[in-house]
Structures are given as structure tokens and as C-alpha cells.
Amino acid sequence: MVLGLIISFGIRAQQKTNIEKLNQLSEQFSEDWKLKEARVIEFAQANNLDVRFKTEDGRIIQMIDVEDGNPVYVSTSNLGAAITTRAYELWEGGSTGLNLTGEGYNKLGEWDGGKVRVTHQEFNNTGSARVTQMDNTTGIVDHATHVAGTLIAGGVVSDAKGMSYKATLKAWDWNNDLSEMASAAAAGMEISNHSYSFGGGWDNGTGTWVWGGNSSISPTEDYKFGFYDNLSRQADIVAFNAPNYLITVSAGNQRGEGPSNAGQNGNPEIDGGEDGFDCLSRGYSVSKNVLTVGAVRETLDYNEPGDVLMSSFSSWGPADDGRVKPDIVAKGVDVYSSVSNSNTAYDSYNGTSMSSPNAAGTMALLQQHYQNLNGGIPMKAATLKGLVIHTADEAGPDPGPDYMFGWGLVNAERAANIITNDQGQNVIDELVLSAGNSYNRDIYVPDGVNELRITICWTDPAGIPVTPQLNPLDAMLVNDLDLKVIDGNLNSYYPYKLNPLDPAAAATNNEKNAVDNVELISIINPDEGTYTIVVEHDGALQNNEQAFSIIISGIDEYTVLPECSSVLTSPDDGASEVIINQWISWASATFASSYDIYFGTDGEGLVTPTNIYNGENVSTNGFSYLMDINTTYYLNVIPRNNTGTATACDVIWSFTTLDAISEFPYVEGIEGIIAPEIPDLWNTQNYSELEWLSTSITSNSGNNAMGCYNSSGLIETEMDNWFVSPPFVVELGLAYPVSYYHRNFQPTHEESLSLYWGNSPESSDLTNTIYEGLNFTGSGWNMVEVLFVPEESGVVFLGWHASSPTGFGVFLDDITVDAGIPVNIDESSFENLKLFANKGTLNIQAGEKWTGAELLVINLMGQVVFKGEYVQPTTIDLNQQNGAGLYFVTLRKDADFVTKKIILTGE
């Protein structure tokens, strides 16, 4: 009878919120907190230490316990954020057509290092306060206010708009958080954010580097990184008893921390060591049932994994037992949000403290969307966590998860579409596996599917921590579910798994996964046919059953026709001056598995266009096509699924590409825009952690310049970044003077900024060198003047390429392209300009007319090798510039130009 009661009690905890148990836990954790407080006060007084303090960099650090005679500390560790996670596509006017704002959603919570400024204008823009401080904590702090803004700021200042910008928020100080979390979960909380981490490794919050490791366990690295401890277990206990409650946690900012002599003379290594792995904060971030969030840079236009750029600080896994941690990444660099200085104060912060609310606020919209379609019933936490992982954008060096980016970048648009499609076919299911049984489901995969993806996720009973040791491999998984997919030829497919002993290695998928409570199988370009999903279990199941959630994409089992797409999202319908490499996309259509696209320049908007794409089928709601300049294009989209095509989708969208610039001089001074926007008609292509953006840090003239640098500080970073112009009309036989100003970020550090041209704005086509600005140094702004000589008449693009294996950054300003001037190889055409060459020496005779003219000698690479005033005659020694080669000699006086080519031979 007693055993039966225990089993029954566990089953209730699995499938619905166990209010009685959570209230018991709240009381227990509250008593534990009181004991910790007493230990902290006694230790702090005995050692003359502050219990709580703020560092120079704005972090809040508080002593929360004393373990083995050592203090334990906890420390705090947005429109661009919304774009990065694609939350904005769920907003009013977004591509999904859902028009979600968070209004009416009141199941979102925040625990942080102080009190939120609840009077800030971002929380009071709807006529009533949307943040409630739930405890009696005093001391309004920037960090808590910034996090709250990322979650729900109303967008009074548009760039600070939060993810769920009309939702309400409950806020607590982090004191006694576990007790308060259990109580809030019992009252129905569904998502909470925790932008703080527990001490470990190196820290210099006091101004002096202090190592928090235990030398008796390891003298070189802190065993607590990735270690499943009692805090990890307690968070899992709360989550297990509140299956609708997802705890969202920052991964920590420890990677690379430590003094300059770390790893030398017997000192412990920097956090994460030389490879950066194994520096995940202890405690909640290692828990199995939370969502742990790492930090990446802003991603405005995701096209491939390389577009997601890792921050310089985000802590990397693994968890000691090899579980994938962090679980996911979101924007954590330069996140602009509210702060507490006043009701109108804002600032930009960096950290996983910023990426965690970026993810949590985004998930609140997903939870709201699900409840709108399911009668107010919430997704279970395992469903929401599994869905976010299932739909993440691939990031990192290899397919599948890794210990840097986790499963990838949050993609709310894709997740919302799966929720929507669940109404037309069963792709989200919440199930229970009983001991000794298996789950089986046959699915049909149509021809042409890019990927079949199946994910299971479950809220696992809390694990039992092992004794403190360095990187124990003991699995913390209690109920081991196993996912497998079998195709029509009886081939078996297994989930991804990682190897903690080789953390940089690519994920494998050739055997069972016995450590993670998330399992994902991906089959790329699957054959058409029937596949069988199998979920089994290894070993006994605690409580004789385990609830789990399954998410599926890549199948086509709809029972209704798709609906039409509601709007063209990129570019806008009727737009003009569209860049020719613009990504073309439309709102995802309900119940659509693919789209037939009719696209071209024919039909004039009255008849379906067909001269480029005539019904070509694509699996995504967008495509790329390099268009012509000054041309109107038309597009008609017909959604499709296994039951057929949508009906009455007759709308033909149109837009016109930009015209090429033909009037000179063309001047771009980077003015008239709000940083960090880029000038109209220009585009950037960033293939490193850095990005081109406008900035007011420095300028040659006016207020702004373009900059490419690490916004986290003076940090050497690989640079591979392009700033690309609008198109220019050029003519054969003319040379176009191009000038611009540039400078480096650090005067003594070599940087490279070169200029190229090509026939399209794609960096892969910008291969023709105009000017090689390699390894330059020096303070202040320097002018570059070059001649661009086209190889044929037509349209060209100019691209500035910032490139360096370890650069601090470059700036660019005041770009000018002048009208073309005739270039003549036949000397008889200009009898008054005579050029003579002899062994690297150039002699110029031009007559009295040109006395006092500006004289430029430019080599084939576009470099100005001589600049001065012409006197009659002038002799120039070019041997120092490796004299042999082709040169352009230009005289410019008032409105008169003359340019000639000459070939010099060396000595």
C-alpha cells in the first residue's frame, strides 16, 4: 500500500502541477535559506567581508552560502534581440500573421539581483503598471530593470522594445529564490528568467583576481564547472513537480576569465582553458529540466550556420556527464533596454544575462500562441523546451548540437509555424510511456523534403549528485527514454549525442543517447515513404512511467487544404529601390508544407508571371534570386500540402529594384541615419564575429562613420566583413576617381581594408582589386585616392573588405565616386602631355598650361605612389615602389583632366 501511494504521488507530479508538494518545497527551501543567511552573516562578520556589492563593470555579487569554510557567491551574469530570435515575426505586422503582443499573458516571472524600477515608462505605457515587485526587497538596480525591459518593455523607445511587449511580469530579488519559485509554480507560473550564476573559477569583482576552485580536487581548473550539485538537483525537483513551468537560466560569462599569469607558475588556468570548453556555471544552469541560454551576437539575416557569431564571453559546456549545455543561444551582445537611473533611462549591456530574457520573453509569445489555439491549456515545459530546440537555427562548425551554441539559435517564427500546423496535422504530442511498453507511430514523408526532424523531451526526476570531483561522467539521467526512427528498408536512425572527453568533436548519431533528456533525430533529404518512430526506455522507470513530448517536422499528413499567404514580408509589396540580392519572403501560410512560386518580369501584375519561375516548388516561405537593376518583378505564391493546393490565391505582389547611379560625383558621408543603421541601398555581409555598422565613436566629418570592430571592447578578433555599395553605371574608356577616408581602431595595430569591384553585390563576385590597403597603422584619418578603370561598360558594385586574422577594428567615412575621365593609351591624342620611362624613372612633360596642376601617379592596384604639384618638367623615381609595371598619370587643374597610361621597366 505504501509503495502504491509513492508511485501514485510521482505520477501526479509528472502529469500536472503538484501544488501540495510545491508548497511543501517552498517551506523547506525557505528554511534552508534562513540557515544559509545565518552562515553568511557569521562568516562575513568574522572575515570583515561585504555580503553584497557592485563591481566597477556593473555586476551585482552577493554571498549566499558558506560551503566547506568557503563563501559561495551569486552574480548577475531590444529590437535587435527580437530580430535575432525572430520574435518580431510573431508581432503585429510580422510574417506569421499572428499579431502576438503578450497582452493578457501574466505567467512570466523574473528573479534577479535587486528590484526592478517598476515606474519606468517602458512598463507603464498601456495605462497601468505591467511589472509587479512581489517581494519586499529594496534597492532598485539597473540589471533587474534591463532584464525586465528585454522581457516586456513596451517600445516607448522602439529600439528597446521587449519580446512580449504587452505582457505583465512578476519580479523577485534572488534571495530565497527556490522557495519563491516553488510557490509561484504552484500558483500557475509558466516561464521564469534567472540571469545570474553561481560562483566558480576566476573572478575579479573586488578588483583582484581570486580563484574559487578547490585545489585539493584540482589545482588547475574548478571542478564546479559543469558539475551537477545540490542547487542543480533542487531546481530539477521544482521543475518535476511543476510540469508546466520552464525555468530559463543564463549560461554564465566565465569563458576566458582569469589574470594574465593564469596557467603559469602553478596558477590555475583561465576559465575554460585554452580551448574554452568546460566553464559552464554550476547550479541551475547544469540542471536537466531548465533551458540554459548562451549568448551570441545580433543576427539580422540568418542564411547559414556561419551567420550566428559567438560572443567572446559566453560559457561553454559540457555538463560533466556529457549532456548538451547550453541548450540554446540568443542575442547577448549590445542588448539595448531600460535601466534604473530614471524613468526614461536606457543602456546597452552584454552578457548571457541579456540572452536569457531574450529567449524567455520570446517563449512567452509561443506559449500564448499555443494557448490561443488550445482553449487556454498551456504547453508543458518539456514541450516548450523541446519545441525551441527542435526549431533552432543551426549554428556552430558541424551539424547537430555542440557545447558552444547548444542546439542553435532560437527561431520563434519556425516554432510558431509548428504550433499552427499542429491544428492541421499532429506534429506536437504530449504522451506518457509506461514501464515495459514502447510508443510507435508511422509517418509519411513526401518527395522533396529537405529534412525529417523528430525531437522528444521530458522532465526527468532529479538526479543524485556525486561527491565533489573533477568532471565525473556519472549520468544524472534517471529515466532513460530512447528515440529511434526506422525507414521502409529497415534502416535505423539514432539521435545526436556529444562526447565530453572530446568536446570540440562533431556530434555523432550512430547509437543510443543515454545522458540527455532531449533527443533529436535529423534525416537530411529523406526518401519519400513511410517511416516508423519508436520511443522505448532502457532500465527501470522511476514511478513506472515517464511523461514525454514529441515534435515532428518534415511530414505531410494534413487533412485540410492550406490557406493563402497573407502578405509579402520582404520586400514590402509595391516597394521601390529594392537591392538586387534582396531575400524574397512571404508570411507562412497555415497548413502549408511547401509553396509553388510564379515569379518574373512578365504579366504586368495582371497575369501570373512565369518567365523566371513557373510554379517551382520550394519548401520554405522564401527564396533568393539575383535580380536586374531598375526592373519591376511580380510574384504569385500558391501554398501546397498533401491534400492539394490552396484555392483563390490570386494576389500578385510586385516591387521594383533600385536603379544604378549614373550621376556623379556620388558622395556617401554616413549621415542622416541613426546608428547602428547602414545607409540606404548599401548592404553588409559579415562572416566573422564582427559586423559593419554606423557609429558616432569617431568620424572624419559630420557625426557618423562606418565601423567594424568588437563592441565588447578592445579585443583582437578575426575580421571578414564586407560593406557593399549600390550599383554604378560605368563606361569603358573612362577612369573613375574613388576616394574615401579610413583609420584603424588602435593606431599601432596593423589592420587591412581593401577595395574591390564586381558585377553583383555578392562578396563572392567582388574579386577585382581596386586598392589593397594591407597592414596599415597610424593615428587619425587617412585619405585613399584611387582610379577605378572598368573592363567594360555596364553596372558595377564596390565592396570594402575588412580582413585580418586578429584585428581591433577599422572605420570608413566620406566615400566619393567622381565622374569618369578619359583614359588614353595613344600619346598622340595629348600632344601637350609626354611621358618618358627609363629604368623605373618617370619623366613628365606637359607644357606651361599644366604648371601648378595636381599630379597623381597611380599603380595598377589603385595605390597612389606619387602625389604632388606639377612643375615643368617633373621627374619621379619609382624604384622604391618596385618601379616596373603599369601606371596611370593624371593631371588635374581647375575643371581640366588628363590621364594617360605608361608601362615602366625596372632596372
Side-chain angles (χ1 to χ4, degrees):
M1 177 64 72
V2 174
L3 179 60
L5 287 174
I6 292 174
I7 293 173
S8 174
F9 185 79
I11 293 172
R12 288 200 307 273
Q14 273 280 326
Q15 299 184 45
K16 65 179 182 179
T17 300
N18 191 333
I19 297 175
E20 180 183 355
K21 179 63 175 178
L22 288 169
N23 286 331
Q24 292 174 3
L25 288 171
S26 179
E27 292 179 10
Q28 174 188 327
F29 291 148
S30 183
E31 291 301 315
D32 291 345
W33 177 260
K34 291 176 183 178
L35 294 174
K36 291 179 182 180
E37 276 190 314
R39 288 196 294 267
V40 164
I41 292 171
E42 180 181 1
F43 184 88
Q45 290 176 344
N47 292 276
N48 194 28
L49 295 173
D50 292 329
V51 172
R52 179 185 175 101
F53 58 94
K54 186 175 182 179
T55 66
E56 291 183 0
D57 62 5
R59 286 186 300 145
I60 297 167
I61 297 180
Q62 182 176 326
M63 190 189 309
I64 62 161
D65 200 0
V66 179
E67 294 179 353
D68 301 323
N70 295 311
V72 176
Y73 289 99
V74 61
S75 65
T76 55
S77 21
N78 45 96
L79 185 60
I83 293 172
T84 298
T85 64
R86 304 192 72 79
Y88 79 111
E89 299 289 16
L90 279 59
W91 289 352
E92 295 167 306
S95 67
T96 60
L98 297 175
N99 297 320
L100 295 173
T101 65
E103 185 172 13
Y105 189 76
N106 60 359
K107 303 298 178 64
L108 183 61
E110 170 192 344
W111 276 262
D112 212 279
K115 185 176 182 180
V116 176
R117 188 181 187 96
V118 298
T119 58
H120 199 285
Q121 65 178 357
E122 291 293 346
F123 312 136
N124 294 271
N125 60 308
T126 59
S128 59
R130 293 187 296 109
V131 178
T132 303
Q133 192 71 38
M134 300 297 291
D135 52 13
N136 296 320
T137 187
T138 58
I140 297 172
V141 298
D142 284 336
H143 190 274
T145 305
H146 195 280
V147 167
T150 305
L151 289 166
I152 69 155
V156 176
V157 172
S158 59
D159 284 349
K161 193 173 184 178
M163 304 304 103
S164 293
Y165 57 92
K166 290 186 180 179
T168 58
L169 176 69
K170 297 179 177 68
W172 289 261
D173 186 285
W174 59 31
N175 291 336
N176 202 18
D177 56 354
L178 281 166
S179 172
E180 294 163 345
M181 289 157 63
S183 179
M189 180 164 287
E190 294 169 353
I191 300 169
S192 66
N193 184 79
H194 305 260
S195 288
Y196 49 93
S197 54
F198 298 91
W202 288 103
D203 191 272
N204 68 341
T206 61
T208 302
W209 283 107
V210 176
W211 190 61
N214 187 327
S215 297
S216 65
I217 295 177
S218 172
T220 59
E221 59 179 296
D222 191 344
Y223 83 90
K224 293 188 292 294
F225 287 135
F227 184 78
Y228 188 93
D229 62 10
N230 196 49
L231 287 168
S232 313
R233 171 179 167 78
Q234 289 171 330
D236 277 340
I237 291 173
V238 172
F240 185 78
N241 285 279
N244 295 336
Y245 172 43
L246 181 56
I247 302 165
T248 311
V249 181
S250 59
N253 307 326
Q254 274 110 328
R255 180 164 52 90
E257 285 201 333
S260 59
N261 63 348
Q264 304 172 20
N265 303 319
N267 290 313
E269 64 184 12
I270 59 172
D271 295 344
E274 292 302 319
D275 62 6
F277 293 102
D278 194 17
C279 56
L280 184 74
S281 296
R282 61 175 291 202
Y284 305 157
S285 61
V286 188
S287 299
K288 295 177 292 183
N289 300 322
V290 309
L291 187 78
T292 304
V293 186
V296 294
R297 296 182 64 85
E298 183 173 276
T299 306
L300 296 179
D301 186 15
Y302 179 90
N303 290 303
E304 58 185 23
D307 293 336
V308 185
L309 305 176
M310 176 54 61
S311 67
S312 60
F313 50 79
S314 187
S315 292
W316 293 351
D320 283 349
D321 60 356
R323 280 178 291 120
V324 178
K325 287 289 177 177
D327 297 295
I328 211 79
V329 291
K331 181 182 175 181
V333 178
D334 280 342
V335 178
Y336 188 68
S337 188
S338 48
V339 291
S340 64
N341 297 354
S342 72
N343 289 337
T344 58
Y346 300 85
D347 205 349
S348 294
Y349 286 178
N350 302 322
T352 56
S353 283
M354 285 62 252
S355 59
S356 181
N358 181 199
T362 299
M363 290 190 297
L365 295 178
L366 295 174
Q367 187 65 272
Q368 184 179 39
H369 178 39
Y370 184 89
Q371 292 176 29
N372 288 344
L373 297 178
N374 290 275
I377 298 172
M379 276 186 281
K380 288 185 176 179
T383 309
L384 180 54
K385 179 180 177 180
L387 178 64
V388 169
I389 287 171
H390 180 92
T391 56
D393 285 325
E394 178 67 57
D398 300 295
D402 57 50
Y403 293 130
M404 300 173 287
F405 298 86
W407 290 96
L409 178 66
V410 175
N411 186 328
E413 180 184 16
R414 187 178 296 131
N417 288 335
I418 291 226
I419 294 171
T420 300
N421 286 334
D422 189 43
Q423 305 303 299
Q425 59 177 348
N426 180 215
V427 292
I428 300 175
D429 228 343
E430 296 177 339
L431 305 163
V432 177
L433 183 68
S434 299
N437 292 328
S438 66
Y439 163 84
N440 296 267
R441 175 180 171 180
D442 289 339
I443 55 174
Y444 173 71
V445 178
D447 184 39
V449 168
N450 294 329
E451 180 186 22
L452 171 62
R453 178 173 280 223
I454 301 102
T455 301
I456 62 170
C457 181
W458 64 99
T459 300
D460 198 50
I464 306 296
V466 299
T467 57
Q469 53 191 281
L470 184 64
N471 299 329
L473 294 174
D474 306 68
M476 291 297 104
L477 193 65
V478 175
N479 287 340
D480 180 13
L481 303 190
D482 289 312
L483 173 66
K484 180 171 64 174
V485 173
I486 303 171
D487 67 16
N489 295 319
L490 301 182
N491 298 308
S492 294
Y493 300 86
Y494 294 94
Y496 284 115
K497 63 182 296 187
L498 292 170
N499 181 5
L501 299 179
D502 189 5
T508 59
N509 57 359
N510 53 6
E511 60 182 346
K512 293 180 179 181
N513 182 327
V515 295
D516 288 290
N517 59 324
V518 178
E519 294 192 354
L520 187 154
I521 290 176
S522 171
I523 305 175
I524 303 299
N525 298 321
D527 293 333
E528 179 182 7
T530 299
Y531 293 72
T532 301
I533 300 171
V534 179
V535 180
E536 303 171 312
H537 68 90
D538 267 353
L541 291 181
Q542 189 178 107
N543 306 318
N544 284 328
E545 65 177 20
Q546 175 63 56
F548 72 97
S549 302
I550 186 167
I551 300 98
I552 308 168
S553 59
I555 63 174
D556 195 348
E557 298 178 344
Y558 289 99
T559 57
V560 294
L561 286 173
E563 298 177 4
C564 298
S565 182
S566 60
V567 64
L568 183 67
T569 57
S570 176
D572 293 334
D573 184 25
S576 60
E577 295 194 327
V578 174
I579 61 175
I580 66 173
N581 59 338
Q582 174 78 52
W583 174 255
I584 302 166
S585 63
W586 51 91
S588 299
T590 304
F591 309 140
S593 58
S594 64
Y595 302 87
D596 296 340
I597 56 174
Y598 298 87
F599 177 66
T601 59
D602 58 331
E604 298 185 347
L606 303 174
V607 179
T608 302
T610 59
N611 68 342
I612 295 178
Y613 293 137
N614 185 11
E616 180 153 338
N617 185 259
V618 296
S619 59
T620 60
N621 60 317
F623 65 96
S624 178
Y625 180 80
L626 188 61
M627 298 174 284
D628 294 327
I629 63 169
N630 194 28
T631 303
T632 298
Y633 288 84
Y634 302 95
L635 174 65
N636 175 235
V637 172
I638 309 296
R640 171 183 292 277
N641 67 24
N642 61 293
T643 65
T645 58
T647 59
C649 299
D650 302 323
V651 174
I652 298 175
W653 298 307
S654 67
F655 54 86
T656 302
T657 55
L658 55 81
D659 197 1
I661 294 164
S662 58
E663 295 185 5
F664 299 95
Y666 170 85
V667 179
E668 178 52 68
I670 325 298
E671 302 299 323
I673 55 177
I674 299 174
E677 295 177 1
I678 66 171
D680 288 342
L681 312 183
W682 290 69
N683 75 88
T684 63
Q685 294 157 51
N686 299 294
Y687 306 107
S688 74
E689 187 174 338
L690 307 185
E691 60 183 319
W692 278 106
L693 43 80
S694 64
T695 177
S696 59
I697 290 177
T698 182
S699 63
N700 179 63
S701 67
N703 298 316
N704 292 335
M706 291 300 298
C708 184
Y709 57 92
N710 194 319
S711 58
S712 299
L714 197 62
I715 301 170
E716 286 188 303
T717 311
E718 179 186 3
M719 299 168 64
D720 183 9
N721 305 80
W722 289 84
F723 182 53
V724 183
S725 76
F728 295 95
V729 175
V730 296
E731 295 181 32
L732 181 65
L734 298 182
Y736 294 82
V738 180
S739 65
Y740 56 92
Y741 288 83
H742 71 91
R743 63 172 298 172
N744 50 9
F745 198 108
Q746 229 273 16
T748 60
H749 191 278
E750 291 183 343
E751 305 289 0
S752 295
L753 180 63
S754 298
L755 175 60
Y756 298 85
W757 71 271
N759 296 119
S760 91
E762 300 293 338
S763 60
S764 58
D765 291 335
L766 295 166
T767 57
N768 305 286
T769 305
I770 298 176
Y771 175 74
E772 279 194 320
L774 303 178
N775 305 323
F776 60 85
T777 60
S779 59
W781 288 90
N782 295 289
M783 184 180 188
V784 172
E785 291 183 292
V786 293
L787 279 179
F788 163 51
V789 183
E791 296 177 351
E792 60 183 5
S793 296
V795 174
V796 299
F797 295 79
L798 305 182
W800 282 260
H801 185 211
S803 60
S804 174
T806 53
F808 283 132
V810 294
F811 298 93
L812 175 65
D813 200 3
D814 292 330
I815 299 167
T816 301
V817 182
D818 272 319
I821 55 179
V823 177
N824 200 306
I825 301 176
D826 182 4
E827 292 187 18
S828 64
S829 298
F830 293 101
E831 295 181 356
N832 57 349
L833 174 58
K834 299 184 183 299
L835 306 178
F836 304 95
N838 183 27
K839 295 182 178 180
T841 300
L842 175 63
N843 183 270
I844 305 167
Q845 296 180 10
E848 291 296 329
K849 172 185 175 181
W850 295 101
T851 299
E854 179 185 50
L855 171 61
L856 292 175
V857 181
I858 301 171
N859 65 16
L860 187 59
M861 302 305 294
Q863 297 166 314
V864 178
V865 298
F866 179 85
K867 180 178 180 180
E869 183 177 298
Y870 175 74
V871 296
Q872 173 69 17
T874 294
T875 300
I876 304 171
D877 184 358
L878 295 178
N879 283 303
Q880 291 184 349
Q881 285 81 29
N882 299 317
L886 177 65
Y887 291 86
F888 299 94
V889 178
T890 297
L891 289 173
R892 182 179 351 194
K893 187 175 184 181
D894 299 324
D896 293 329
F897 284 86
V898 61
T899 299
K900 296 182 76 172
K901 292 181 181 178
I902 187 169
I903 297 176
L904 275 69
T905 57
E907 290 186 301

